């Protein structure tokens, strides 16, 4: 009887240790990822079809604008500085796009650290946690959002003249590939 208790206790200790190590590894992975990435979220005014459609039009204009501005960034800090410098222009682009599509509400933005749920993007899993992000609020900003990663530029991949995608290659992207396998 005593031997069974010892075996059960040993199994319990091994299980608890395994769970603890797994949780630590996930937290560590999220922290590493959060320290290297800047996310971008465009939050629609509401979930109406019209608001969701204009959100995508705003997305296209902002991505087109930021693609060249973020292209030479070699670090998260550089990308954050560019985004800070471009805040007024990003708001103007969003407002202009909203106006062009007949909307009278305005856009606002915030560059902040915010908690996000677990998300997958372009083959990468971004664990739940806190990330630096450029948040673009359209009107009330309470509708579903569109998101990508501004740095490394996992959403800013320009097309070539003949329509082929340019493969973005950087040490950060290679690091992400190693991290996610």
């Amino acid at each position: 009887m005593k031997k069974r208790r010892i075996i059960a206790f040993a199994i319990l200790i091994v299980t608890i240790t395994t769970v603890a190590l797994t949780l630590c590894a996930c937290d560590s992975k999220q922290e590493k990822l959060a320290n290297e990435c800047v996310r971008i979220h465009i939050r629609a005014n509401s979930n109406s079809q019209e608001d969701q459609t204009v959100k995508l039009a705003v997305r296209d204009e902002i991505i087109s604008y930021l693609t060249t501005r973020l292209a030479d960034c070699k670090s998260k800090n550089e990308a954050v500085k560019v985004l800070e410098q471009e805040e007024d222009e990003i708001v103007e682009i969003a407002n202009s796009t909203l106006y062009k599509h007949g909307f009278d509400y305005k856009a606002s933005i915030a560059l902040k650290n915010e908690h996000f749920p677990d998300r997958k993007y372009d083959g990468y899993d971004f664990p739940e946690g806190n990330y630096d992000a450029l948040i673009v609020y359209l009107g009330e900003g309470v509708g579903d959002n569109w998101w990508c990663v501004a740095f490394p530029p996992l959403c800013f991949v320009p097309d070539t003249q003949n329509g082929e995608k340019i493969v973005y290659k950087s040490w950060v992207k290679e690091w992400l590939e190693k991290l996610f396998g």
Side-chain angles (χ1 to χ4, degrees):
M1 186 70 158
K2 201 173 193 179
K3 191 174 184 179
R4 285 186 180 171
R5 283 186 184 170
I6 292 173
I7 291 172
F9 183 72
I11 291 172
L12 179 65
I13 294 297
V14 168
T15 303
I16 290 172
T17 303
T18 302
V19 168
L21 289 173
T22 301
L23 290 174
C24 288
C26 289
D27 287 346
S28 175
K29 181 168 90 171
Q30 190 279 325
E31 282 180 31
K32 287 178 186 176
L33 193 55
N35 288 334
E36 299 297 333
C37 295
V38 179
R39 295 169 69 153
I40 183 169
H41 284 241
I42 300 176
R43 296 185 177 158
N45 183 57
S46 74
N47 282 332
S48 75
Q49 184 61 44
E50 297 82 13
D51 285 340
Q52 289 297 311
T53 299
V54 79
K55 170 189 74 179
L56 299 178
V58 170
R59 170 204 65 189
D60 293 345
E61 294 298 323
I62 290 174
I63 287 175
S64 177
Y65 179 76
L66 287 177
T67 296
T68 57
R69 274 120 190 117
L70 293 170
D72 294 329
C73 293
K74 304 283 188 253
S75 70
K76 175 183 173 179
N77 288 338
E78 286 180 28
V80 168
K81 285 178 187 173
V82 167
L83 292 171
E84 288 172 339
Q85 292 168 351
E86 300 296 337
E87 282 183 4
D88 291 340
E89 188 62 29
I90 295 167
V91 169
E92 179 55 38
I93 290 167
N95 284 336
S96 173
T97 305
L98 290 169
Y99 179 77
K100 228 186 312 186
H101 286 84
F103 292 87
D104 59 357
Y105 56 77
K106 301 289 183 198
S108 61
I109 64 172
L111 190 55
K112 61 184 180 176
N113 190 274
E114 196 170 88
H115 188 82
F116 293 102
D118 185 54
R119 299 279 188 190
K120 291 191 182 298
Y121 181 76
D122 201 26
Y124 300 107
D125 181 31
F126 289 81
E128 177 181 356
N130 292 326
Y131 293 86
D132 289 329
L134 176 71
I135 313 293
V136 180
Y137 301 94
L138 304 179
E140 297 295 317
V142 295
D144 289 341
N145 71 76
W146 171 88
W147 77 280
C148 71
V149 181
F151 185 85
L154 296 177
C155 60
F156 302 110
V157 181
D159 288 335
T160 62
Q161 296 277 343
N162 61 8
E164 293 178 21
K165 291 258 185 200
I166 295 172
V167 177
Y168 181 80
K169 189 164 175 75
S170 77
W171 67 269
V172 177
K173 188 165 189 300
E174 290 170 3
W175 176 81
L176 287 170
E177 288 169 349
K178 285 181 188 173
L179 186 64
F180 290 111

